[in-house]
Amino acid sequence: MKEYTEEGYRRGHITILITLYVQGALDAALWPSILHNLKILVCPKNLYHLTRSYFSGRTATLHTYSIQIERDITKGCPQGSCCCPGFWNIKYNALLNLHYGKRTKAIAFADDLLIAVRAENVQEAENFANIEINKITKWAKENKITLNEQKSKLMPATRRKRREITEVNIYLNSKLLEHVKNIIYLGITIEKKLSFREHIISTTNKCTMLIHTLAKLAKLNWGLKQEALNTIYKGAILPIMVYDAPVWVRPMEKNCNRTLYSRVQRLMNIKIANA
């Protein structure tokens, strides 16, 4: 997403980023659709028949004091199982392989879908985005998947210096998507100029709060020992600091992240290597 958007910056284009929220994603995976996609992918017959057998004859039963209700199950990926990610990827792969335009990029991780549409001006980008969203909406209806228009967001990304109207009207399920100043995708806060300032500040605040909490516990004569603090630091603080660092590490020097690093080094007295 970052590379695609930055390429648009270099060309002087505007990029519309749209995050689409799938309601009850794994529970909504239709089994006939998964089997259909397995055929399209030319799945070996033994694996196809094994999957079809796995999906067949499954029921859910509700018992109460007076009644018993039984229903056949025709959808849903068993969460926590080994096959759950595979079944979902097989189904969602069809969405990523829709015939999108040349200036559109579809990106997905599990059920987190982001659509990036790039154009030379706002009106073009808006038109292209609505066309792509219509394709996705049609696919979702055919596969009995519900896209939640209230949780789905859009954000135009541009570094143009000239003043221009960047408000766009993009519709999902015939409803206008909310226009936001930044979006959160896979835990990263993204702004229109890709400065990642909000994400860095949020990370700073989270880590600083944890560091102060540990500092209160770690006194010279009582409290947690250095070894225990080191373990907590590596398990709780460091993962927050370096999460997806390759994405936002460049803007770090221009923001407040150096303050975060100095605080960690001072309070924890631990050398941060290659963070």
Coordinates of all heavy atoms in Angstrom, one line a residue, residues 26 28-38 51 54-59 72-78 87 91:
L26 N -15.2 -14.8 9.0 CA -14.9 -16.3 9.0 C -16.2 -17.1 9.1 O -16.3 -18.1 8.6 CB -13.9 -16.6 10.1 CG -12.5 -16.0 10.0 CD1 -11.7 -16.4 11.2 CD2 -11.9 -16.4 8.7
A28 N -19.0 -16.3 7.9 CA -19.8 -16.1 6.7 C -19.2 -16.8 5.4 O -19.8 -16.6 4.4 CB -19.9 -14.6 6.4
A29 N -18.2 -17.6 5.6 CA -17.5 -18.2 4.5 C -18.5 -19.4 4.0 O -18.6 -20.4 4.7 CB -16.2 -18.8 4.9
L30 N -19.0 -19.2 2.8 CA -20.0 -20.2 2.3 C -19.2 -21.4 1.7 O -18.3 -21.2 0.9 CB -20.8 -19.5 1.2 CG -22.1 -20.2 0.8 CD1 -23.1 -20.2 2.0 CD2 -22.7 -19.5 -0.4
W31 N -19.6 -22.6 2.2 CA -18.9 -23.8 1.7 C -19.0 -24.1 0.3 O -18.0 -24.4 -0.4 CB -19.4 -25.0 2.6 CG -19.0 -24.8 4.0 CD1 -18.1 -24.0 4.6 CD2 -19.5 -25.6 5.1 NE1 -18.0 -24.1 5.9 CE2 -18.8 -25.1 6.3 CE3 -20.4 -26.6 5.2 CZ2 -19.1 -25.7 7.5 CZ3 -20.6 -27.2 6.5 CH2 -20.0 -26.7 7.6
P32 N -20.2 -24.0 -0.4 CA -20.2 -24.2 -1.8 C -19.3 -23.2 -2.6 O -18.8 -23.6 -3.6 CB -21.7 -23.9 -2.1 CG -22.4 -24.2 -0.9 CD -21.5 -23.8 0.2
S33 N -19.2 -22.0 -2.1 CA -18.3 -21.1 -2.7 C -16.8 -21.5 -2.6 O -16.0 -21.4 -3.6 CB -18.4 -19.7 -2.1 OG -17.5 -18.8 -2.7
I34 N -16.4 -22.1 -1.5 CA -15.1 -22.6 -1.3 C -14.8 -23.7 -2.2 O -13.7 -23.8 -2.9 CB -14.8 -23.0 0.2 CG1 -14.9 -21.8 1.1 CG2 -13.5 -23.7 0.3 CD1 -14.8 -22.1 2.6
L35 N -15.8 -24.6 -2.3 CA -15.6 -25.8 -3.2 C -15.5 -25.4 -4.7 O -14.8 -25.9 -5.5 CB -16.8 -26.8 -3.0 CG -16.8 -27.5 -1.6 CD1 -18.1 -28.3 -1.5 CD2 -15.6 -28.4 -1.5
H36 N -16.3 -24.3 -5.0 CA -16.3 -23.8 -6.4 C -14.9 -23.2 -6.7 O -14.4 -23.5 -7.8 CB -17.4 -22.8 -6.6 CG -17.4 -22.1 -7.9 ND1 -17.7 -22.7 -9.1 CD2 -17.0 -20.8 -8.2 CE1 -17.6 -21.9 -10.1 NE2 -17.1 -20.7 -9.6
N37 N -14.4 -22.5 -5.8 CA -13.0 -21.9 -6.0 C -12.0 -23.0 -6.0 O -11.0 -22.8 -6.7 CB -12.7 -20.9 -4.9 CG -13.6 -19.6 -5.0 OD1 -13.9 -19.2 -6.1 ND2 -13.9 -19.0 -3.9
L38 N -12.1 -24.1 -5.3 CA -11.2 -25.1 -5.4 C -11.1 -25.7 -6.8 O -10.1 -26.1 -7.3 CB -11.5 -26.2 -4.4 CG -11.1 -26.0 -2.9 CD1 -11.7 -27.1 -2.0 CD2 -9.6 -25.8 -2.8
T51 N -12.1 -32.2 1.3 CA -12.8 -31.0 1.7 C -14.3 -31.1 1.6 O -15.0 -30.7 2.6 CB -12.3 -29.8 0.9 OG1 -10.9 -29.8 0.9 CG2 -12.9 -28.5 1.4
Y54 N -15.5 -33.1 4.4 CA -15.4 -32.4 5.7 C -16.6 -31.5 5.8 O -17.1 -31.3 7.0 CB -14.1 -31.6 5.7 CG -13.9 -30.8 6.9 CD1 -13.4 -31.3 8.1 CD2 -14.3 -29.4 6.9 CE1 -13.1 -30.6 9.2 CE2 -14.1 -28.6 8.1 CZ -13.5 -29.2 9.2 OH -13.3 -28.5 10.3
F55 N -17.1 -30.9 4.7 CA -18.2 -29.9 4.8 C -19.6 -30.6 4.9 O -20.6 -30.0 5.2 CB -18.2 -29.0 3.6 CG -17.1 -28.0 3.6 CD1 -16.6 -27.5 2.5 CD2 -16.6 -27.5 4.8 CE1 -15.6 -26.5 2.5 CE2 -15.6 -26.6 4.9 CZ -15.1 -26.1 3.7
S56 N -19.7 -31.9 4.5 CA -21.0 -32.6 4.4 C -21.5 -33.1 5.7 O -20.7 -33.5 6.6 CB -20.8 -33.7 3.4 OG -19.9 -34.7 3.8
G57 N -22.8 -33.1 5.9 CA -23.4 -33.7 7.0 C -23.2 -33.0 8.4 O -23.2 -33.7 9.4
R58 N -22.9 -31.8 8.3 CA -22.7 -31.0 9.6 C -23.9 -30.3 10.0 O -24.6 -29.6 9.2 CB -21.5 -30.0 9.4 CG -20.2 -30.7 9.2 CD -19.0 -29.8 9.4 NE -17.7 -30.5 9.3 CZ -17.1 -31.1 10.4 NH1 -17.7 -31.0 11.6 NH2 -16.0 -31.7 10.3
T59 N -24.2 -30.4 11.3 CA -25.4 -29.8 11.9 C -25.1 -29.1 13.2 O -24.1 -29.4 13.8 CB -26.5 -30.8 12.1 OG1 -26.0 -31.8 13.0 CG2 -26.9 -31.5 10.8
D72 N -29.0 -27.5 9.5 CA -27.8 -27.9 8.7 C -26.9 -26.7 8.6 O -27.3 -25.5 8.5 CB -28.2 -28.3 7.3 CG -29.0 -29.6 7.3 OD1 -28.8 -30.5 8.2 OD2 -29.9 -29.8 6.4
I73 N -25.6 -26.9 8.6 CA -24.6 -25.9 8.5 C -24.0 -25.9 7.1 O -23.6 -26.9 6.6 CB -23.5 -26.1 9.5 CG1 -24.0 -26.1 11.0 CG2 -22.4 -25.0 9.4 CD1 -23.0 -26.3 12.0
T74 N -24.0 -24.7 6.5 CA -23.5 -24.6 5.1 C -22.4 -23.6 5.0 O -22.0 -23.3 3.8 CB -24.6 -24.3 4.1 OG1 -25.2 -23.1 4.5 CG2 -25.7 -25.4 4.1
K75 N -22.0 -23.0 6.1 CA -21.0 -21.9 6.0 C -20.2 -21.8 7.3 O -20.6 -22.4 8.3 CB -21.6 -20.6 5.6 CG -22.6 -20.1 6.7 CD -23.2 -18.7 6.3 CE -24.2 -18.2 7.3 NZ -24.7 -16.9 7.0
G76 N -19.1 -21.1 7.2 CA -18.3 -20.9 8.4 C -17.0 -21.6 8.4 O -16.9 -22.8 8.1
C77 N -15.9 -20.9 8.7 CA -14.6 -21.5 8.9 C -14.3 -21.8 10.4 O -14.5 -20.9 11.1 CB -13.4 -20.7 8.3 SG -13.5 -20.4 6.5
P78 N -14.0 -23.0 10.7 CA -13.8 -23.3 12.2 C -12.6 -22.6 12.7 O -11.5 -22.9 12.5 CB -13.6 -24.8 12.2 CG -13.2 -25.2 10.8 CD -13.8 -24.2 9.9
F87 N -9.1 -22.2 4.1 CA -10.4 -22.1 3.6 C -10.8 -20.7 3.3 O -11.3 -20.4 2.2 CB -11.5 -22.7 4.5 CG -11.4 -24.2 4.6 CD1 -11.9 -24.9 5.7 CD2 -11.0 -25.0 3.5 CE1 -11.9 -26.3 5.8 CE2 -11.0 -26.4 3.6 CZ -11.4 -27.0 4.7
K91 N -11.4 -18.7 -0.5 CA -12.6 -18.0 -0.8 C -12.3 -16.6 -1.2 O -12.8 -16.0 -2.2 CB -13.6 -18.0 0.4 CG -14.9 -17.2 0.2 CD -15.8 -17.3 1.4 CE -17.1 -16.5 1.1 NZ -17.8 -17.1 -0.1

